[in-house]
Amino acid sequence: MTHAINKCSANETAACCCVDVGTIMDNSDCTASWSQLYATRDEAEAMLATLTGKARQVESEPCVIQSELTEQPDGVRLEASFTFSCQAETMIFQLGLR
């Protein structure tokens, strides 16, 4: 007797052999990073404020934000990381930046 549903691996559901959301979102990656060069410190600080505001809109618990502004010969580099309490918030934040 043949079965209509193929045998699926542990990462797939038996109903349609689709990937389980838990396989993709396992809360192992809760940090989003940003790195960009700006012409001036004011531009870099304005972007950091924008990114911080977007993170605060998404967070359910306080997002840990670490940032550094580095003077370079051709401008100011903003390096920032945003660590959320869960991976879903990280993804929502990243999608909101597109």
Side-chain angles (χ1 to χ4, degrees):
M1 176 177 186
T2 57
H3 293 260
I5 299 174
N6 294 331
K7 182 179 178 185
C8 296
S9 71
N11 293 336
E12 298 173 324
T13 61
C16 66
C17 292
C18 300
V19 176
D20 180 41
V21 173
T23 302
I24 299 168
M25 295 177 54
D26 60 1
N27 277 339
S28 64
D29 185 13
C30 296
T31 301
S33 299
W34 182 273
S35 178
Q36 190 163 334
L37 184 67
Y38 296 90
T40 66
R41 178 171 282 277
D42 287 343
E43 289 177 13
E45 289 175 348
M47 179 53 85
L48 179 58
T50 298
L51 293 169
T52 299
K54 289 181 180 284
R56 297 296 180 222
Q57 291 174 344
V58 170
E59 67 187 1
S60 61
E61 295 179 19
C63 175
V64 177
I65 302 171
Q66 297 177 325
S67 64
E68 182 178 4
L69 297 172
T70 307
E71 299 287 339
Q72 297 187 344
D74 49 349
V76 177
R77 177 159 302 277
L78 168 60
E79 301 270 352
S81 67
F82 302 83
T83 303
F84 293 89
S85 62
C86 69
Q87 190 172 4
E89 291 175 353
T90 305
M91 292 177 70
I92 292 167
F93 174 73
Q94 290 171 324
L95 290 171
L97 298 178
R98 293 182 179 200

